[in-house]
Amino acid sequence: MSTQTEPKLVTQIDFARAGQITPQMKEVAEREHRDPEYIRERVADGRIAIPANIVHIKKGMRAFGVGEGLSTKVNVNLGISGDKADAAEEWKKVKIAEDFGADAIMDLSNSGKTRQFRQQLIDETPLMVGTVPMYDAIDYMEKPLVKLTKDDLFEVVRAHAEDGVDFMTIHCGINKSVTKTFKETGRLMNIVSRGGSLLFGWMEVTGNENPFYEFYDELLEICHEYDVTISLGDSCRPGCLYDSNDATETAEMIELGKLCKRAWAAGVQVMVEGPGHMALDEIAANMKLQKRLCHNAPFYVLGPLVTDIGVGYDHITAAIGGAISASSGADFLCYVTPAEHLCLPNAQDVLDGLMATKIAAHAADIAKKVPHARDMDDKMGQARRKLDWDAMWKCALDPVTGKKRYEESPAATEGTCTMCGKMCAVRTVNKIFEGTTIDLGMED
Ligand code: SF4
């Protein structure tokens, strides 16, 4: 008789490797039109992550799968900012994220009562919740950056895990070897990741190794206890086209690949974060390189923004890159709003950014032949063919804006819109096929 205790199964990857299909795997399978075994196999080998903290599951969250063969997920960033703290506006953004089809909300609060906002968000939203504990560390510990200790930083991570955060961006890959490459090879925009720059500053001033890298095993223990998915932050993502796919970005990606394997070995789910800014013709290769170096871990991408000069319209520059990145292998898109590089987005910016990113993700899913991805497009074609406006709203990614614009500009000819009025091509051809005589010049 064996005296060894069986290891406790806690995380989705633990259960998957033990051959067990969890309720979350079933839920993902149902929504994605996949067999539960398809999901289990890929969770077991890390190609799919189901970020679902055991605390958030108890509060009734929905399960979302991120990774191979699944629909591309979309994240909305929000949170209380020190320079423009307005909790009511942030709650408006939460409502928009939920109503308009985001899959995740990242709470990037970095000022004031961050824990209260985070806990209420986890209590109330069924969407995946992500955070960046590094943003929160200074206010949470009430210490300046360079006075923060490794224990302080890990205390913040533990607090977020206890609160029920499903995935945390942690910049574990920016170690001394990567910063050496960065300093030796140089960059036009240096480091543009907020968390990455804080850690770089901390490492430079204290002379210490990145604690999330040095004590990675300890970090994994906390994540395992609550089934927090680590989203390995890309501190060295390119902040301009000039820096994309350079030595620094690649050096960090190699480290992230090694950290993926260590996370999986510890029974922790993992995703990897990616660029940034990147010329359109470089994106597909970057996605393939990430999947190769990071052993097919789900790839969570910000854009990439395909030009640096779209200021004021960066939801568009990012959506163009998002469509290419997702159709080339990225699994999860972080939205970008028109306020990118300019200011904290307002609620309208959030809607505009979310819709641009949803369109990019959906376009990619059609190209990737994700099961049933095109169903609504085909229904929309049928509704348009019949000039059935109510059916069109049911198919639209944003039915509210479409209906509002249509109703604000009533057409004189029934069934048409003011774009072509009585010369509506759809109506004309329908009438021809119905055998109705038309005389556009004489009709009412
Ligand atoms: S009026 Fe023109 S734009 Fe409007 S539904 Fe007809 S064909 Fe389409």
Side-chain angles (χ1 to χ4, degrees), residues 387 389 415-421 424-427:
L387 290 168
W389 296 89
T416 68
C417 76
T418 50
M419 178 76 188
C420 329
C424 172
V426 180
R427 176 175 173 270

Side-chain angles (χ1 to χ4, degrees), residues 275-325:
H277 292 231
M278 190 165 282
L280 201 129
D281 61 315
E282 293 181 22
I283 295 173
N286 182 275
M287 299 301 119
K288 300 220 172 343
L289 184 64
Q290 182 277 343
K291 286 278 174 174
R292 178 76 183 84
L293 292 175
C294 297
H295 321 289
N296 295 310
F299 201 13
Y300 177 24
V301 175
L302 182 85
L305 282 68
V306 293
T307 169
D308 298 338
I309 60 171
V311 64
Y313 301 89
D314 275 329
H315 58 315
I316 298 172
T317 61
I320 294 169
I324 305 285
S325 65

